[in-house]
Amino acid sequence: MNFYRPAEIGMPLSEVDTPALILDLGAFERNLDRMDASLAGKKIRIRPHAKSHKCPAIAAAQMKRGAVGVCCQKVSEAEAMVDGGVPDVLIANEVVGAAKLKRLAALAKRARVAVCVDDSGNVSDLEGAARAAGVKLDVLVEVNVGANRCGVEPGAPAVKIAQAIAAAKNLRFAGLQAYQGAAQHLRKVEERRAAIENACAKVKQTTDLLAMAGIECEKVTGAGTGTYLFEAVSGVYHELQAGSYIFMDADYAKNDWTESGIPRFEHSLFVWTTVMSKPSAAQAVVDAGLKASSVDSGMPRVADAEGAEYLKASDEHGVLKLDTRSKLALGDKLKLIPGHCDPTVNLYDHFVCIRDGKVEALWPITARGAVL
């Protein structure tokens, strides 16, 4: 398929067609540096979540700075990462169904691949797929540490599944997946810290029981952008899965970061849009609607146009409310900060990478639409 290219290398930002997904390379690189600086001296590894960016070029930039690999949510995402040169992928999710399991096992022939389980029946299915492919799969038990989504309950239920993995000839127990996703957007620092303290207690309960059962837990992995430093200093976690820190979105900007120790990462990801109609002095319409920016976590925020608020979205249109400060006119272009970065990225074929007002690169979003 020949994808439409919204920009060309060297083109000024003003000439980039809209809607487009803009990545400010300066802010992006500073975010990478801030993450590194915040973890300096700590015995912790970072395995960023690729569901945020779906782009092997970004994964490569993260690994160049020391990431051990990436996380993915889907087998198809993992395939895209491995095809793009990523040698170590954790599917931080359950994989269920014969077709997906066959693909997972085949992928393990080409890269180091790990997967999560929360059910003994899934362990049996993984063993069968790995045996048929002639591979040995790393498997982590996902423990429910408070997100109340996937995951077996901590303690004895988790140990029982770990024992099933350890008994399987073609599987290797590789540790625990312990992601407290519900904590990431709790607005107050003390709320997020308390949620992670509770998660750590559940992990410790489980690792203590694993040790009593004679099962070594070599790795506990989890954490997100809103809490990762709490996990990093806990003495319980070994890997951090923060992903959104490279971009930041309007929803994360609502968090209080004061005295959290977590740096204030910059907005680096924007939807570039054009004013396509101005029916009155109090209203403008842009060409970025639901198909250009996800609104599941709220409307996008106008980044660089004073007196304008993104009010509502339909399929192809975004309605802006204007006050007397606004100077927007028909044909003007502006940046929007997405409400939620991950699903917004999934709407585009490329990042249009900008430095000093010009297009420096186009990075394909290779895993766009990878939902299997």
Side-chain angles (χ1 to χ4, degrees), residues 29-266:
E29 290 163 359
R30 289 189 292 273
N31 286 342
L32 292 175
D33 292 340
R34 286 186 180 98
M35 174 60 78
D36 288 350
S38 71
L39 298 177
K42 297 177 177 64
K43 293 182 179 180
I44 199 83
R45 301 181 294 272
I46 185 162
R47 181 185 291 276
H49 222 309
K51 74 181 179 69
S52 297
H53 56 72
K54 294 176 171 279
C55 175
I58 290 181
Q62 292 171 316
M63 289 187 296
K64 187 176 181 181
R65 283 172 163 81
V68 296
V70 300
C71 294
C72 293
Q73 285 294 89
K74 304 287 187 176
V75 175
S76 50
E77 278 185 353
E79 289 168 337
M81 291 299 116
V82 171
D83 289 345
V86 177
D88 191 329
V89 178
L90 164 62
I91 300 175
N93 204 356
E94 288 68 35
V95 175
V96 175
K100 292 181 178 65
L101 290 169
K102 184 176 181 179
R103 289 167 62 180
L104 171 69
L107 189 63
K109 292 182 176 182
R110 301 197 286 127
R112 183 175 182 180
V113 177
V115 67
C116 297
V117 296
D118 63 2
D119 186 276
S120 295
N122 194 201
V123 174
S124 297
D125 293 339
L126 282 165
E127 166 68 5
R131 183 174 61 249
V135 298
K136 191 156 189 171
L137 276 173
D138 281 2
V139 182
L140 292 84
V141 176
E142 180 164 13
V143 179
N144 178 16
V145 292
N148 297 323
R149 192 172 57 186
C150 297
V152 67
E153 289 305 300
V159 173
K160 183 178 180 180
I161 296 179
Q163 289 172 325
I165 296 167
K169 292 182 179 180
N170 288 82
L171 305 180
R172 188 181 77 87
F173 175 65
L176 302 179
Q177 162 81 5
Y179 174 55
Q180 218 309 15
Q184 303 311 311
H185 295 277
L186 295 174
R187 299 309 178 199
K188 296 180 180 179
V189 174
E190 57 268 28
E191 292 175 333
R192 299 201 300 278
R193 183 179 282 112
I196 299 310
E197 288 174 354
N198 182 260
C200 288
K202 294 179 185 222
V203 171
K204 186 69 165 55
Q205 174 195 2
T206 306
T207 55
D208 285 349
L209 286 177
L210 284 168
M212 290 173 61
I215 299 175
E216 180 185 0
C217 182
E218 68 180 43
K219 176 166 65 179
V220 176
T221 180
T225 295
T227 67
Y228 76 88
L229 207 53
F230 306 147
E231 284 96 340
V233 300
S234 68
V236 172
Y237 284 77
H238 306 93
E239 280 187 359
L240 307 175
Q241 297 177 2
S244 298
Y245 74 96
I246 57 172
F247 296 144
M248 300 307 287
D249 52 35
D251 193 55
Y252 260 122
K254 296 174 185 176
N255 280 7
D256 177 16
W257 303 98
T258 309
E259 297 183 6
S260 67
I262 296 173
R264 289 186 179 272
F265 297 107
E266 297 177 54

